Amino acid sequence: MEETMAGSTVPHWRVSPDGPWFERDGERTFLLADTLWAAFSRMTEHEWDDAIRLRRRQGFTAVNVSVLPIPHDRSLSRDARAPFAVDAEGGWDLDRLNEEYWVRAGRMVRRAAEQGITTVLVVLWCNYAPGTWGADRTPWAVLNDAQTDAVVERAVAEFARSGAIFCVSGDESLRSESAIARYERAASRIRSLAPTALITWHTTPSTSLPASIAVSDDIDYYSYQAGHDVGWQDRAVAMAREYADLKPTRPVVSMEPPYEAHGYGGGTFRHTARTVRRASWTGVLGGAVAGLGYGAHGSWSWHRLGDAFNGEDFSGIPLPAQRALELPGAWDVGLLRTIVEGHGLHRLRSADAALVDDRTGARFGMSVDSAIAAIYVPEPFRVRVRGDFGGHALEVWDLAAGRRDHVERSVADRVTTFGQPDTTGDLLYVLSRRD
């Protein structure tokens, strides 16, 4: 680890020279990030420390935070902190930064780093860039070039020394030339001020990353958002494949799969630990092998009982933050990281074409040399795969229970059949070629 804070060290991340995944302090590591978008504006430092301690226990390596509050989608209370000075009418003076806000945020990021948790910072949520759908909703928050530069430069000065990763865009569709130009300006400035920091972009579920951004020297890895609304099941894997196929090849992170307890985008259902596992595992098997975001509906906006929430129509009312923080899906994704790292699943690529007559939504990933393979089984039925995997070691996980299990396996006519499981949960089969 590199010395960046007086008397202490922080985790150092880089893209591995051996492939499209990450190394932390020289060891291959899965970037597993909780999502606390509103941390700087709403969390107390004690709440922050407590959340970081819990996520460290659960196996997280990072946390996603928006540097600036998300105006159109947040929990509301009078005690929220503002990144800008407040004028006489109670509005933000975008020409003047609130020094107390930034110093406090820097302290929070440093304390997380001391616990081994790296902060992934969205510098400009779409509300702050011109020509975006977020700007249309909150035009009063759009920054000009000088104001943008001030935010970017202060963010780098405050957070880079703590090993932060920078995400230049937030929930951005990248359909406006003015918006893209603004984000490119920010990315270039971050690169010049913090040349060793990792940089990525956060996009909407309907966004394909433009080739001009993919080939830029100012992006180190690809992030995608599967989204929370109807269609998340298909996007979770389709977007993983799309981003894994981008050139140049870079690490792929499923930064925002469905949040646990989040509504189905104005629908009548809420996401559960099971749907979070499905989106997470199908993303990994689709090619998002470098990292994963997790979110709980209530902790991402740091909602308190009695607070207003301006995103209810799409998301549903959040749980109180402390209750959301305790939802079981966080332990499930911690197990995902353990399995991915323990079995070298960073080598997987989508291989669904090998599935035979599957109607359950199962997903299959395999390394190029067929030495490592995995099957995610969302519904406990028999699964068949083309290829002879009878000689591979088989490890079965009942993911709902978080424990090892067993299924029968047979091979005929170069098709491997995995029998009916004796459980009602979703499962993962890991296949490793024996030495």
Side-chain angles (χ1 to χ4, degrees):
M1 293 189 287
E2 60 182 15
E3 296 281 346
T4 57
M5 297 186 299
S8 61
T9 56
V10 298
H12 174 66
W13 292 81
R14 68 168 185 169
V15 174
S16 173
D18 299 325
W21 47 82
F22 298 116
E23 291 180 358
R24 182 178 66 170
D25 303 326
E27 295 185 4
R28 189 177 64 244
T29 305
F30 190 78
L31 182 69
L32 178 61
D34 188 24
T35 303
L36 299 173
W37 291 134
F40 295 163
S41 61
R42 293 186 54 82
M43 293 179 76
T44 69
E45 292 185 65
H46 174 76
E47 289 170 334
W48 171 260
D49 291 342
D50 192 49
I52 293 299
R53 285 172 61 87
L54 174 61
R55 293 308 191 226
R56 183 182 65 176
R57 287 176 54 214
Q58 294 169 323
F60 285 75
T61 56
V63 58
N64 298 323
V65 177
S66 180
V67 171
L68 308 176
I70 304 172
H72 73 278
D73 194 14
R74 59 175 171 161
S75 296
L76 304 168
S77 61
R78 293 184 178 180
D79 61 350
R81 292 171 295 278
F84 302 97
V86 177
D87 61 28
E89 288 74 38
W92 289 353
D93 181 349
L94 302 181
D95 289 316
R96 293 191 297 138
L97 298 179
N98 176 4
E99 182 70 12
E100 183 180 358
Y101 177 96
W102 291 87
V103 170
R104 187 178 181 280
R107 189 164 60 241
M108 293 168 70
V109 172
R110 287 195 300 275
R111 290 224 292 266
E114 290 166 356
Q115 297 295 318
I117 301 293
T118 297
T119 309
V120 181
L121 293 158
V122 174
V123 180
L124 296 172
W125 205 267
C126 62
N127 304 79
Y128 299 95
T132 66
W133 66 271
D136 291 341
R137 293 195 180 190
T138 57
W140 55 267
V142 177
L143 305 176
N144 61 32
D145 282 346
Q147 293 162 348
T148 299
D149 290 347
V151 166
V152 170
E153 290 167 12
R154 185 54 188 273
V156 173
E158 198 65 55
F159 306 125
R161 56 183 166 169
S162 301
I165 295 170
F166 293 95
C167 181
V168 297
S169 66
D171 210 9
E172 176 51 48
S173 60
L174 300 177
R175 296 191 177 97
S176 160
E177 291 184 6
S178 61
I180 292 174
R182 181 63 57 82
Y183 293 125
E184 289 178 332
R185 177 189 183 104
S188 177
R189 190 66 178 140
I190 292 168
R191 180 67 82 208
S192 67
L193 294 171
T196 63
L198 294 182
I199 299 174
T200 191
W201 299 52
H202 176 271
T203 55
T204 67
S206 60
T207 300
S208 293
L209 196 69
S212 60
I213 296 173
V215 301
S216 170
D217 291 334
D218 296 334
I219 183 171
D220 296 294
Y221 68 92
Y222 304 131
S223 298
Y224 72 89
Q225 177 192 170
H228 316 275
D229 55 340
V230 174
W232 61 270
Q233 306 101 309
D234 296 327
R235 288 194 301 268
V237 67
M239 296 185 74
R241 291 172 179 161
E242 176 184 340
Y243 279 71
D245 288 340
L246 285 173
K247 302 299 180 186
T249 301
R250 303 184 192 272
V252 178
V253 172
S254 175
M255 190 171 181
E256 189 174 336
Y259 292 162
E260 192 169 3
H262 194 289
Y264 273 36
T268 56
F269 300 96
R270 283 186 185 263
H271 289 286
T272 64
R274 186 164 184 155
T275 61
V276 171
R277 289 195 303 271
R278 180 170 182 169
S280 301
W281 274 112
T282 57
V284 168
L285 271 59
V289 295
L292 171 70
Y294 166 83
H297 190 42
S299 59
W300 69 265
S301 62
W302 208 254
H303 189 77
R304 294 188 174 92
L305 197 63
D307 284 347
F309 175 65
N310 64 7
E312 178 182 351
D313 286 349
F314 181 78
S315 309
I317 297 174
L319 297 176
Q322 292 290 355
R323 175 69 188 94
L325 204 65
E326 297 169 356
L327 289 172
W331 292 99
D332 293 341
V333 295
L335 176 61
L336 179 150
R337 177 198 164 199
T338 297
I339 296 172
V340 168
E341 291 182 354
H343 288 280
L345 301 190
H346 61 284
R347 299 168 56 194
L348 297 184
R349 293 297 301 265
S350 179
D352 284 349
L355 293 167
V356 178
D357 190 29
D358 178 74
R359 290 166 287 178
T360 69
R363 299 296 180 183
F364 181 54
M366 185 169 61
S367 62
V368 174
D369 62 3
S370 303
I372 299 291
I375 311 170
Y376 174 71
V377 184
E379 300 294 339
F381 292 99
R382 184 179 63 179
V383 175
R384 294 187 295 162
V385 181
R386 292 185 184 87
D388 184 347
F389 293 96
H392 284 61
L394 172 63
E395 185 172 294
V396 178
W397 284 91
D398 180 336
L399 296 173
R403 65 191 179 204
R404 299 279 290 273
D405 210 310
H406 175 77
V407 294
E408 298 295 335
R409 170 180 48 168
S410 61
V411 180
D413 298 326
R414 295 197 58 78
V415 172
T416 303
T417 299
F418 301 86
Q420 171 82 32
D422 292 335
T423 179
T424 58
D426 53 331
L427 301 107
L428 183 78
Y429 305 155
V430 181
L431 296 152
S432 306
R433 183 181 293 154
R434 302 179 196 273
D435 293 332

